[in-house]
Short mmCIF file of all heavy atoms in Angstrom, two decimals:
data_model
loop_
_atom_site.label_atom_id
_atom_site.label_comp_id
_atom_site.label_asym_id
_atom_site.label_seq_id
_atom_site.Cartn_x
_atom_site.Cartn_y
_atom_site.Cartn_z
N MET A 1 -111.52 33.04 -88.10
CA MET A 1 -112.01 32.67 -89.41
C MET A 1 -113.20 33.56 -89.77
O MET A 1 -113.91 34.01 -88.90
CB MET A 1 -112.47 31.21 -89.42
CG MET A 1 -111.33 30.24 -89.43
SD MET A 1 -111.75 28.58 -89.98
CE MET A 1 -112.89 28.02 -88.77
N PHE A 2 -113.38 33.77 -91.04
CA PHE A 2 -114.55 34.49 -91.51
C PHE A 2 -114.94 33.92 -92.86
O PHE A 2 -114.20 33.18 -93.48
CB PHE A 2 -114.29 36.00 -91.57
CG PHE A 2 -113.25 36.41 -92.58
CD1 PHE A 2 -113.63 36.78 -93.86
CD2 PHE A 2 -111.91 36.44 -92.25
CE1 PHE A 2 -112.68 37.16 -94.78
CE2 PHE A 2 -110.95 36.83 -93.17
CZ PHE A 2 -111.34 37.19 -94.44
N GLU A 3 -116.14 34.26 -93.29
CA GLU A 3 -116.63 33.73 -94.56
C GLU A 3 -116.67 34.85 -95.58
O GLU A 3 -117.11 35.95 -95.30
CB GLU A 3 -118.02 33.13 -94.37
CG GLU A 3 -118.49 32.36 -95.57
CD GLU A 3 -119.72 31.53 -95.28
OE1 GLU A 3 -119.99 31.25 -94.11
OE2 GLU A 3 -120.39 31.18 -96.25
N ARG A 4 -116.18 34.55 -96.77
CA ARG A 4 -116.19 35.52 -97.86
C ARG A 4 -116.73 34.82 -99.10
O ARG A 4 -116.12 33.91 -99.62
CB ARG A 4 -114.78 36.02 -98.13
CG ARG A 4 -114.73 37.02 -99.24
CD ARG A 4 -113.36 37.52 -99.59
NE ARG A 4 -112.30 37.01 -98.75
CZ ARG A 4 -111.03 37.24 -98.92
NH1 ARG A 4 -110.63 37.99 -99.91
NH2 ARG A 4 -110.14 36.74 -98.14
N LYS A 5 -117.91 35.25 -99.54
CA LYS A 5 -118.55 34.72 -100.74
C LYS A 5 -118.54 33.19 -100.76
O LYS A 5 -118.10 32.56 -101.71
CB LYS A 5 -117.87 35.25 -102.00
CG LYS A 5 -118.04 36.73 -102.19
CD LYS A 5 -117.48 37.18 -103.51
CE LYS A 5 -117.65 38.68 -103.66
NZ LYS A 5 -117.15 39.17 -104.90
N GLY A 6 -119.00 32.60 -99.65
CA GLY A 6 -119.13 31.15 -99.58
C GLY A 6 -117.84 30.40 -99.29
O GLY A 6 -117.83 29.19 -99.22
N THR A 7 -116.75 31.12 -99.11
CA THR A 7 -115.47 30.49 -98.81
C THR A 7 -115.04 30.88 -97.41
O THR A 7 -115.02 32.06 -97.07
CB THR A 7 -114.38 30.94 -99.81
OG1 THR A 7 -114.83 30.64 -101.13
CG2 THR A 7 -113.07 30.25 -99.53
N ILE A 8 -114.67 29.91 -96.60
CA ILE A 8 -114.19 30.21 -95.26
C ILE A 8 -112.69 30.45 -95.34
O ILE A 8 -111.95 29.65 -95.90
CB ILE A 8 -114.51 29.05 -94.30
CG1 ILE A 8 -116.02 28.92 -94.14
CG2 ILE A 8 -113.84 29.29 -92.96
CD1 ILE A 8 -116.45 27.77 -93.27
N VAL A 9 -112.27 31.58 -94.79
CA VAL A 9 -110.87 31.95 -94.80
C VAL A 9 -110.37 31.93 -93.36
O VAL A 9 -110.94 32.58 -92.49
CB VAL A 9 -110.67 33.36 -95.40
CG1 VAL A 9 -109.21 33.76 -95.34
CG2 VAL A 9 -111.20 33.40 -96.82
N ASN A 10 -109.30 31.19 -93.11
CA ASN A 10 -108.71 31.11 -91.79
C ASN A 10 -107.54 32.09 -91.73
O ASN A 10 -106.53 31.89 -92.39
CB ASN A 10 -108.25 29.68 -91.51
CG ASN A 10 -107.78 29.49 -90.09
OD1 ASN A 10 -107.67 30.45 -89.33
ND2 ASN A 10 -107.50 28.26 -89.73
N ARG A 11 -107.68 33.16 -90.95
CA ARG A 11 -106.63 34.17 -90.85
C ARG A 11 -105.44 33.70 -90.03
O ARG A 11 -104.38 34.29 -90.09
CB ARG A 11 -107.19 35.45 -90.25
CG ARG A 11 -108.11 36.15 -91.21
CD ARG A 11 -108.44 37.52 -90.65
NE ARG A 11 -109.17 38.26 -91.64
CZ ARG A 11 -108.69 39.31 -92.28
NH1 ARG A 11 -107.52 39.77 -92.00
NH2 ARG A 11 -109.42 39.92 -93.18
N THR A 12 -105.62 32.68 -89.23
CA THR A 12 -104.52 32.15 -88.42
C THR A 12 -104.39 30.65 -88.68
O THR A 12 -104.73 29.84 -87.83
CB THR A 12 -104.75 32.41 -86.92
OG1 THR A 12 -106.02 31.86 -86.55
CG2 THR A 12 -104.71 33.88 -86.59
N PRO A 13 -103.90 30.28 -89.85
CA PRO A 13 -103.79 28.85 -90.14
C PRO A 13 -102.82 28.17 -89.18
O PRO A 13 -101.83 28.76 -88.76
CB PRO A 13 -103.25 28.82 -91.57
CG PRO A 13 -102.60 30.14 -91.77
CD PRO A 13 -103.33 31.11 -90.88
N GLU A 14 -103.17 26.94 -88.81
CA GLU A 14 -102.30 26.20 -87.91
C GLU A 14 -101.11 25.67 -88.67
O GLU A 14 -101.23 25.15 -89.76
CB GLU A 14 -103.07 25.05 -87.27
CG GLU A 14 -104.01 25.49 -86.19
CD GLU A 14 -104.54 24.34 -85.38
OE1 GLU A 14 -103.81 23.36 -85.17
OE2 GLU A 14 -105.69 24.44 -84.97
N LYS A 15 -99.96 25.81 -88.05
CA LYS A 15 -98.74 25.30 -88.63
C LYS A 15 -98.40 24.00 -87.91
O LYS A 15 -98.52 23.90 -86.69
CB LYS A 15 -97.62 26.33 -88.41
CG LYS A 15 -96.38 26.10 -89.19
CD LYS A 15 -95.44 27.28 -89.01
CE LYS A 15 -94.29 27.20 -89.95
NZ LYS A 15 -93.38 28.33 -89.79
N ASP A 16 -97.99 23.00 -88.66
CA ASP A 16 -97.61 21.73 -88.08
C ASP A 16 -96.49 21.98 -87.07
O ASP A 16 -95.49 22.63 -87.39
CB ASP A 16 -97.13 20.79 -89.18
CG ASP A 16 -96.82 19.40 -88.67
OD1 ASP A 16 -96.45 19.23 -87.49
OD2 ASP A 16 -96.94 18.46 -89.47
N PRO A 17 -96.64 21.50 -85.83
CA PRO A 17 -95.59 21.74 -84.83
C PRO A 17 -94.20 21.30 -85.29
O PRO A 17 -93.20 21.89 -84.89
CB PRO A 17 -96.06 20.92 -83.62
CG PRO A 17 -97.53 20.87 -83.76
CD PRO A 17 -97.78 20.81 -85.25
N GLN A 18 -94.12 20.31 -86.14
CA GLN A 18 -92.82 19.86 -86.63
C GLN A 18 -92.15 20.94 -87.49
O GLN A 18 -90.94 20.90 -87.69
CB GLN A 18 -92.96 18.56 -87.42
CG GLN A 18 -93.44 17.39 -86.60
CD GLN A 18 -92.50 17.02 -85.46
OE1 GLN A 18 -91.29 17.22 -85.53
NE2 GLN A 18 -93.06 16.49 -84.39
N ASP A 19 -92.93 21.90 -87.98
CA ASP A 19 -92.39 22.97 -88.81
C ASP A 19 -92.06 24.23 -88.02
O ASP A 19 -91.60 25.21 -88.58
CB ASP A 19 -93.39 23.33 -89.92
CG ASP A 19 -93.59 22.20 -90.91
OD1 ASP A 19 -92.68 21.36 -91.07
OD2 ASP A 19 -94.67 22.15 -91.53
N TRP A 20 -92.29 24.21 -86.71
CA TRP A 20 -92.00 25.38 -85.89
C TRP A 20 -90.50 25.62 -85.85
O TRP A 20 -89.71 24.70 -85.62
CB TRP A 20 -92.49 25.19 -84.46
CG TRP A 20 -93.97 25.11 -84.29
CD1 TRP A 20 -94.93 25.29 -85.23
CD2 TRP A 20 -94.66 24.80 -83.09
NE1 TRP A 20 -96.17 25.12 -84.70
CE2 TRP A 20 -96.04 24.82 -83.39
CE3 TRP A 20 -94.26 24.52 -81.80
CZ2 TRP A 20 -97.01 24.57 -82.41
CZ3 TRP A 20 -95.22 24.26 -80.84
CH2 TRP A 20 -96.58 24.29 -81.16
N THR A 21 -90.09 26.85 -86.05
CA THR A 21 -88.66 27.16 -86.00
C THR A 21 -88.13 27.14 -84.56
O THR A 21 -86.94 26.96 -84.34
CB THR A 21 -88.35 28.53 -86.64
OG1 THR A 21 -89.10 29.53 -85.96
CG2 THR A 21 -88.67 28.52 -88.11
N THR A 22 -89.01 27.32 -83.59
CA THR A 22 -88.60 27.29 -82.18
C THR A 22 -89.08 26.03 -81.48
O THR A 22 -89.09 25.96 -80.25
CB THR A 22 -89.14 28.53 -81.44
OG1 THR A 22 -90.57 28.51 -81.50
CG2 THR A 22 -88.60 29.81 -82.02
N GLY A 23 -89.47 25.04 -82.24
CA GLY A 23 -90.05 23.84 -81.67
C GLY A 23 -89.14 23.04 -80.78
O GLY A 23 -89.60 22.29 -79.92
N ASP A 24 -87.83 23.19 -80.95
CA ASP A 24 -86.90 22.43 -80.12
C ASP A 24 -86.52 23.16 -78.84
O ASP A 24 -85.75 22.65 -78.02
CB ASP A 24 -85.65 22.05 -80.91
CG ASP A 24 -84.89 23.26 -81.44
OD1 ASP A 24 -85.45 24.38 -81.44
OD2 ASP A 24 -83.74 23.09 -81.88
N GLU A 25 -87.10 24.33 -78.63
CA GLU A 25 -86.87 25.06 -77.38
C GLU A 25 -87.72 24.45 -76.28
O GLU A 25 -88.72 23.78 -76.55
CB GLU A 25 -87.26 26.54 -77.56
CG GLU A 25 -86.36 27.28 -78.52
CD GLU A 25 -86.78 28.72 -78.72
OE1 GLU A 25 -87.77 29.18 -78.08
OE2 GLU A 25 -86.12 29.40 -79.52
N PRO A 26 -87.34 24.68 -75.01
CA PRO A 26 -88.14 24.14 -73.90
C PRO A 26 -89.57 24.66 -73.95
O PRO A 26 -89.83 25.77 -74.41
CB PRO A 26 -87.42 24.68 -72.65
CG PRO A 26 -86.04 24.99 -73.10
CD PRO A 26 -86.15 25.40 -74.55
N MET A 27 -90.50 23.84 -73.45
CA MET A 27 -91.90 24.25 -73.43
C MET A 27 -92.05 25.55 -72.65
O MET A 27 -91.24 25.87 -71.79
CB MET A 27 -92.79 23.16 -72.84
CG MET A 27 -92.67 22.94 -71.37
SD MET A 27 -93.86 21.71 -70.82
CE MET A 27 -92.87 20.83 -69.62
N THR A 28 -93.09 26.27 -72.99
CA THR A 28 -93.35 27.55 -72.33
C THR A 28 -94.02 27.33 -70.98
O THR A 28 -94.55 26.24 -70.70
CB THR A 28 -94.27 28.43 -73.20
OG1 THR A 28 -95.55 27.80 -73.30
CG2 THR A 28 -93.68 28.67 -74.58
N GLY A 29 -94.03 28.36 -70.17
CA GLY A 29 -94.70 28.28 -68.87
C GLY A 29 -96.18 27.96 -69.00
O GLY A 29 -96.69 27.09 -68.28
N PRO A 30 -96.90 28.65 -69.91
CA PRO A 30 -98.31 28.32 -70.08
C PRO A 30 -98.54 26.88 -70.55
O PRO A 30 -99.49 26.23 -70.11
CB PRO A 30 -98.79 29.33 -71.13
CG PRO A 30 -97.88 30.51 -70.95
CD PRO A 30 -96.53 29.89 -70.62
N GLN A 31 -97.68 26.38 -71.43
CA GLN A 31 -97.82 24.99 -71.86
C GLN A 31 -97.66 24.06 -70.65
O GLN A 31 -98.44 23.13 -70.48
CB GLN A 31 -96.76 24.62 -72.90
CG GLN A 31 -97.04 25.06 -74.30
CD GLN A 31 -95.93 24.65 -75.25
OE1 GLN A 31 -94.75 24.87 -74.99
NE2 GLN A 31 -96.32 24.05 -76.37
N GLU A 32 -96.64 24.31 -69.85
CA GLU A 32 -96.38 23.45 -68.70
C GLU A 32 -97.55 23.47 -67.72
O GLU A 32 -97.99 22.43 -67.22
CB GLU A 32 -95.10 23.89 -68.00
CG GLU A 32 -94.71 22.97 -66.86
CD GLU A 32 -93.37 23.32 -66.24
OE1 GLU A 32 -92.84 24.42 -66.52
OE2 GLU A 32 -92.87 22.50 -65.47
N SER A 33 -98.08 24.66 -67.44
CA SER A 33 -99.20 24.78 -66.53
C SER A 33 -100.42 24.03 -67.04
O SER A 33 -101.06 23.27 -66.30
CB SER A 33 -99.53 26.27 -66.33
OG SER A 33 -100.66 26.42 -65.51
N TYR A 34 -100.75 24.23 -68.32
CA TYR A 34 -101.92 23.57 -68.91
C TYR A 34 -101.71 22.06 -68.96
O TYR A 34 -102.64 21.29 -68.69
CB TYR A 34 -102.20 24.14 -70.29
CG TYR A 34 -103.50 23.68 -70.90
CD1 TYR A 34 -104.68 23.64 -70.17
CD2 TYR A 34 -103.55 23.30 -72.24
CE1 TYR A 34 -105.87 23.22 -70.74
CE2 TYR A 34 -104.74 22.88 -72.82
CZ TYR A 34 -105.90 22.85 -72.06
OH TYR A 34 -107.08 22.42 -72.63
N LEU A 35 -100.49 21.64 -69.27
CA LEU A 35 -100.20 20.20 -69.31
C LEU A 35 -100.45 19.56 -67.95
O LEU A 35 -101.01 18.46 -67.87
CB LEU A 35 -98.75 19.96 -69.72
CG LEU A 35 -98.51 19.74 -71.19
CD1 LEU A 35 -97.02 19.62 -71.48
CD2 LEU A 35 -99.23 18.52 -71.69
N HIS A 36 -100.02 20.22 -66.89
CA HIS A 36 -100.22 19.66 -65.55
C HIS A 36 -101.71 19.57 -65.22
O HIS A 36 -102.15 18.59 -64.60
CB HIS A 36 -99.44 20.46 -64.51
CG HIS A 36 -97.98 20.14 -64.52
ND1 HIS A 36 -97.45 18.99 -64.00
CD2 HIS A 36 -96.94 20.81 -65.04
CE1 HIS A 36 -96.15 18.96 -64.18
NE2 HIS A 36 -95.81 20.07 -64.82
N THR A 37 -102.49 20.55 -65.63
CA THR A 37 -103.94 20.51 -65.42
C THR A 37 -104.55 19.33 -66.17
O THR A 37 -105.32 18.54 -65.61
CB THR A 37 -104.60 21.82 -65.88
OG1 THR A 37 -104.07 22.90 -65.11
CG2 THR A 37 -106.11 21.77 -65.74
N LEU A 38 -104.20 19.21 -67.45
CA LEU A 38 -104.74 18.12 -68.26
C LEU A 38 -104.28 16.75 -67.74
O LEU A 38 -105.08 15.80 -67.67
CB LEU A 38 -104.30 18.26 -69.72
CG LEU A 38 -104.93 19.39 -70.52
CD1 LEU A 38 -104.22 19.53 -71.87
CD2 LEU A 38 -106.42 19.13 -70.73
N ALA A 39 -103.01 16.66 -67.39
CA ALA A 39 -102.46 15.39 -66.92
C ALA A 39 -103.16 14.94 -65.63
O ALA A 39 -103.46 13.76 -65.45
CB ALA A 39 -100.97 15.50 -66.71
N GLN A 40 -103.43 15.89 -64.75
CA GLN A 40 -104.12 15.56 -63.51
C GLN A 40 -105.50 15.00 -63.82
O GLN A 40 -105.91 13.99 -63.26
CB GLN A 40 -104.22 16.79 -62.62
CG GLN A 40 -104.84 16.51 -61.28
CD GLN A 40 -104.86 17.73 -60.38
OE1 GLN A 40 -104.71 18.87 -60.84
NE2 GLN A 40 -105.03 17.52 -59.09
N GLU A 41 -106.22 15.64 -64.73
CA GLU A 41 -107.55 15.17 -65.11
C GLU A 41 -107.50 13.81 -65.78
O GLU A 41 -108.40 12.99 -65.62
CB GLU A 41 -108.22 16.17 -66.06
CG GLU A 41 -108.63 17.45 -65.39
CD GLU A 41 -109.31 18.41 -66.34
OE1 GLU A 41 -109.70 18.00 -67.45
OE2 GLU A 41 -109.45 19.59 -65.98
N ALA A 42 -106.42 13.55 -66.53
CA ALA A 42 -106.29 12.30 -67.27
C ALA A 42 -105.63 11.20 -66.44
O ALA A 42 -105.54 10.06 -66.89
CB ALA A 42 -105.48 12.54 -68.54
N GLY A 43 -105.16 11.54 -65.25
CA GLY A 43 -104.50 10.55 -64.41
C GLY A 43 -103.13 10.16 -64.95
O GLY A 43 -102.72 9.01 -64.84
N GLU A 44 -102.44 11.11 -65.54
CA GLU A 44 -101.12 10.85 -66.13
C GLU A 44 -100.09 11.79 -65.53
O GLU A 44 -100.43 12.78 -64.89
CB GLU A 44 -101.16 11.03 -67.65
CG GLU A 44 -102.04 10.03 -68.36
CD GLU A 44 -101.84 10.04 -69.87
OE1 GLU A 44 -100.80 10.55 -70.34
OE2 GLU A 44 -102.75 9.57 -70.56
N GLU A 45 -98.83 11.47 -65.77
CA GLU A 45 -97.72 12.30 -65.34
C GLU A 45 -97.18 13.07 -66.54
O GLU A 45 -97.22 12.58 -67.66
CB GLU A 45 -96.59 11.44 -64.76
CG GLU A 45 -96.97 10.71 -63.49
CD GLU A 45 -97.09 11.64 -62.29
OE1 GLU A 45 -96.28 12.60 -62.21
OE2 GLU A 45 -97.99 11.41 -61.47
N VAL A 46 -96.64 14.25 -66.29
CA VAL A 46 -96.00 15.05 -67.33
C VAL A 46 -94.50 14.78 -67.26
O VAL A 46 -93.87 15.03 -66.23
CB VAL A 46 -96.26 16.56 -67.15
CG1 VAL A 46 -95.51 17.36 -68.20
CG2 VAL A 46 -97.75 16.85 -67.21
N PRO A 47 -93.92 14.24 -68.35
CA PRO A 47 -92.48 14.02 -68.33
C PRO A 47 -91.73 15.35 -68.29
O PRO A 47 -92.21 16.36 -68.79
CB PRO A 47 -92.20 13.28 -69.64
CG PRO A 47 -93.45 13.28 -70.42
CD PRO A 47 -94.54 13.83 -69.58
N GLY A 48 -90.56 15.34 -67.70
CA GLY A 48 -89.75 16.56 -67.63
C GLY A 48 -88.99 16.79 -68.93
O GLY A 48 -88.81 15.88 -69.74
N GLY A 49 -88.56 18.02 -69.12
CA GLY A 49 -87.69 18.35 -70.23
C GLY A 49 -88.34 18.34 -71.61
O GLY A 49 -87.65 18.14 -72.61
N LEU A 50 -89.65 18.57 -71.68
CA LEU A 50 -90.32 18.57 -72.98
C LEU A 50 -89.98 19.82 -73.79
O LEU A 50 -89.79 20.90 -73.24
CB LEU A 50 -91.84 18.51 -72.80
CG LEU A 50 -92.43 17.25 -72.20
CD1 LEU A 50 -93.94 17.42 -72.02
CD2 LEU A 50 -92.13 16.04 -73.05
N THR A 51 -89.94 19.65 -75.10
CA THR A 51 -89.79 20.79 -76.00
C THR A 51 -91.17 21.37 -76.28
O THR A 51 -92.19 20.78 -75.92
CB THR A 51 -89.15 20.37 -77.34
OG1 THR A 51 -90.06 19.48 -78.01
CG2 THR A 51 -87.80 19.72 -77.14
N LYS A 52 -91.19 22.52 -76.94
CA LYS A 52 -92.47 23.13 -77.32
C LYS A 52 -93.30 22.18 -78.18
O LYS A 52 -94.51 22.05 -78.00
CB LYS A 52 -92.24 24.43 -78.08
CG LYS A 52 -91.74 25.57 -77.23
CD LYS A 52 -91.53 26.82 -78.07
CE LYS A 52 -91.01 27.97 -77.28
NZ LYS A 52 -90.80 29.17 -78.11
N VAL A 53 -92.64 21.51 -79.13
CA VAL A 53 -93.35 20.58 -80.02
C VAL A 53 -93.90 19.40 -79.22
O VAL A 53 -95.06 19.03 -79.37
CB VAL A 53 -92.43 20.09 -81.16
CG1 VAL A 53 -93.05 18.91 -81.89
CG2 VAL A 53 -92.15 21.20 -82.14
N GLU A 54 -93.08 18.81 -78.38
CA GLU A 54 -93.52 17.66 -77.59
C GLU A 54 -94.67 18.04 -76.67
O GLU A 54 -95.64 17.29 -76.52
CB GLU A 54 -92.35 17.09 -76.78
CG GLU A 54 -91.28 16.46 -77.63
CD GLU A 54 -89.99 16.20 -76.87
OE1 GLU A 54 -89.70 16.90 -75.88
OE2 GLU A 54 -89.25 15.29 -77.31
N ALA A 55 -94.57 19.22 -76.05
CA ALA A 55 -95.64 19.69 -75.17
C ALA A 55 -96.93 19.89 -75.95
O ALA A 55 -98.01 19.50 -75.50
CB ALA A 55 -95.22 20.98 -74.48
N SER A 56 -96.83 20.48 -77.13
CA SER A 56 -98.01 20.70 -77.97
C SER A 56 -98.68 19.38 -78.34
O SER A 56 -99.90 19.24 -78.28
CB SER A 56 -97.63 21.48 -79.22
OG SER A 56 -98.74 21.66 -80.05
N GLN A 57 -97.87 18.40 -78.71
CA GLN A 57 -98.41 17.10 -79.08
C GLN A 57 -99.06 16.41 -77.89
O GLN A 57 -100.12 15.79 -78.02
CB GLN A 57 -97.31 16.23 -79.69
CG GLN A 57 -96.85 16.75 -81.03
CD GLN A 57 -95.57 16.09 -81.54
OE1 GLN A 57 -94.78 15.57 -80.77
NE2 GLN A 57 -95.39 16.13 -82.84
N LEU A 58 -98.44 16.53 -76.72
CA LEU A 58 -99.02 15.92 -75.52
C LEU A 58 -100.31 16.64 -75.13
O LEU A 58 -101.29 16.00 -74.72
CB LEU A 58 -98.01 15.95 -74.37
CG LEU A 58 -98.43 15.28 -73.07
CD1 LEU A 58 -98.88 13.84 -73.29
CD2 LEU A 58 -97.30 15.34 -72.06
N ILE A 59 -100.34 17.95 -75.27
CA ILE A 59 -101.57 18.70 -74.99
C ILE A 59 -102.68 18.21 -75.90
O ILE A 59 -103.80 17.96 -75.44
CB ILE A 59 -101.34 20.22 -75.17
CG1 ILE A 59 -100.52 20.77 -74.00
CG2 ILE A 59 -102.67 20.98 -75.30
CD1 ILE A 59 -100.02 22.20 -74.19
N ASP A 60 -102.41 18.05 -77.18
CA ASP A 60 -103.43 17.56 -78.11
C ASP A 60 -103.96 16.20 -77.68
O ASP A 60 -105.17 15.97 -77.66
CB ASP A 60 -102.87 17.46 -79.53
CG ASP A 60 -102.64 18.81 -80.18
OD1 ASP A 60 -103.17 19.83 -79.68
OD2 ASP A 60 -101.93 18.85 -81.21
N ARG A 61 -103.05 15.31 -77.30
CA ARG A 61 -103.46 13.95 -76.90
C ARG A 61 -104.29 13.98 -75.62
O ARG A 61 -105.34 13.33 -75.52
CB ARG A 61 -102.24 13.05 -76.72
CG ARG A 61 -102.61 11.60 -76.42
CD ARG A 61 -101.40 10.71 -76.31
NE ARG A 61 -100.57 10.98 -75.16
CZ ARG A 61 -100.88 10.62 -73.90
NH1 ARG A 61 -102.01 10.00 -73.62
NH2 ARG A 61 -100.04 10.90 -72.91
N LEU A 62 -103.84 14.77 -74.65
CA LEU A 62 -104.56 14.83 -73.38
C LEU A 62 -105.90 15.56 -73.52
O LEU A 62 -106.87 15.23 -72.83
CB LEU A 62 -103.70 15.50 -72.31
CG LEU A 62 -102.48 14.69 -71.86
CD1 LEU A 62 -101.64 15.49 -70.87
CD2 LEU A 62 -102.89 13.36 -71.26
N GLN A 63 -105.97 16.55 -74.41
CA GLN A 63 -107.26 17.21 -74.65
C GLN A 63 -108.27 16.21 -75.19
O GLN A 63 -109.43 16.21 -74.79
CB GLN A 63 -107.10 18.37 -75.64
CG GLN A 63 -106.53 19.61 -75.03
CD GLN A 63 -106.40 20.72 -76.05
OE1 GLN A 63 -106.12 20.49 -77.21
NE2 GLN A 63 -106.58 21.95 -75.60
N GLU A 64 -107.81 15.38 -76.10
CA GLU A 64 -108.69 14.37 -76.66
C GLU A 64 -109.13 13.37 -75.58
O GLU A 64 -110.30 13.03 -75.48
CB GLU A 64 -107.98 13.63 -77.80
CG GLU A 64 -108.90 12.71 -78.58
CD GLU A 64 -108.22 12.14 -79.80
OE1 GLU A 64 -107.61 12.91 -80.56
OE2 GLU A 64 -108.33 10.93 -79.98
N LYS A 65 -108.18 12.97 -74.77
CA LYS A 65 -108.48 11.99 -73.71
C LYS A 65 -109.44 12.56 -72.67
O LYS A 65 -110.32 11.84 -72.17
CB LYS A 65 -107.19 11.55 -73.03
CG LYS A 65 -107.37 10.49 -71.98
CD LYS A 65 -106.05 10.00 -71.43
CE LYS A 65 -106.29 8.91 -70.40
NZ LYS A 65 -105.01 8.38 -69.87
N THR A 66 -109.30 13.83 -72.34
CA THR A 66 -110.13 14.44 -71.29
C THR A 66 -111.41 15.08 -71.83
O THR A 66 -112.23 15.54 -71.05
CB THR A 66 -109.35 15.53 -70.52
OG1 THR A 66 -108.97 16.55 -71.43
CG2 THR A 66 -108.13 14.94 -69.82
N GLY A 67 -111.55 15.13 -73.14
CA GLY A 67 -112.73 15.75 -73.72
C GLY A 67 -112.65 17.26 -73.79
O GLY A 67 -113.64 17.94 -74.06
N ARG A 68 -111.48 17.82 -73.57
CA ARG A 68 -111.31 19.27 -73.63
C ARG A 68 -110.97 19.75 -75.03
O ARG A 68 -110.91 20.93 -75.29
CB ARG A 68 -110.19 19.73 -72.69
CG ARG A 68 -110.58 19.76 -71.25
CD ARG A 68 -109.41 20.33 -70.47
NE ARG A 68 -109.72 20.53 -69.08
CZ ARG A 68 -109.64 21.71 -68.47
NH1 ARG A 68 -109.23 22.77 -69.14
NH2 ARG A 68 -109.92 21.82 -67.21
N GLY A 69 -110.67 18.83 -75.93
CA GLY A 69 -110.29 19.21 -77.29
C GLY A 69 -111.47 19.78 -78.06
O GLY A 69 -112.63 19.53 -77.77
N ALA A 70 -111.14 20.56 -79.04
CA ALA A 70 -112.19 21.19 -79.87
C ALA A 70 -112.70 20.23 -80.92
O ALA A 70 -112.10 19.33 -81.34
CB ALA A 70 -111.62 22.43 -80.53
#
C-alpha cells in the first residue's frame, strides 16, 4: 500500500477466497505447513483434504485464536 494525495491505495487488494478460481483445488504445501504450526499452538487438529479456500479460512480463524493475525 502507498499513500497518494491523502488517499491510501492498495496495490494488492485481497480477493474474497470464495471468488478464487482455484479455490476448490487442494491446499498448497505452504498452507498445510502453516496450518499445522497454528493448529499446534491453538491445540487443534487440521482436518484432511482441505481445499485452498477452506485452508485459508481456517488459517484466518487460527491466526485470530493464537494472536498471530494482523
Side-chain angles (χ1 to χ4, degrees):
M1 285 200 296
F2 65 94
E3 190 168 340
R4 180 182 357 176
K5 294 186 181 180
T7 303
I8 295 177
V9 177
N10 187 353
R11 289 189 172 249
T12 55
E14 284 192 34
K15 192 173 190 180
D16 185 332
Q18 296 299 331
D19 294 334
W20 293 355
T21 58
T22 61
D24 59 346
E25 293 178 2
M27 72 176 141
T28 65
Q31 280 180 311
E32 185 175 12
S33 176
Y34 189 44
L35 267 176
H36 283 284
T37 299
L38 288 171
Q40 184 177 18
E41 289 181 14
E44 295 191 20
E45 295 288 323
V46 176
L50 294 176
T51 65
K52 289 180 181 179
V53 167
E54 292 166 334
S56 178
Q57 291 168 336
L58 184 54
I59 287 169
D60 289 345
R61 185 177 67 76
L62 291 176
Q63 282 180 326
E64 189 172 311
K65 184 175 181 178
T66 61
R68 283 184 174 238

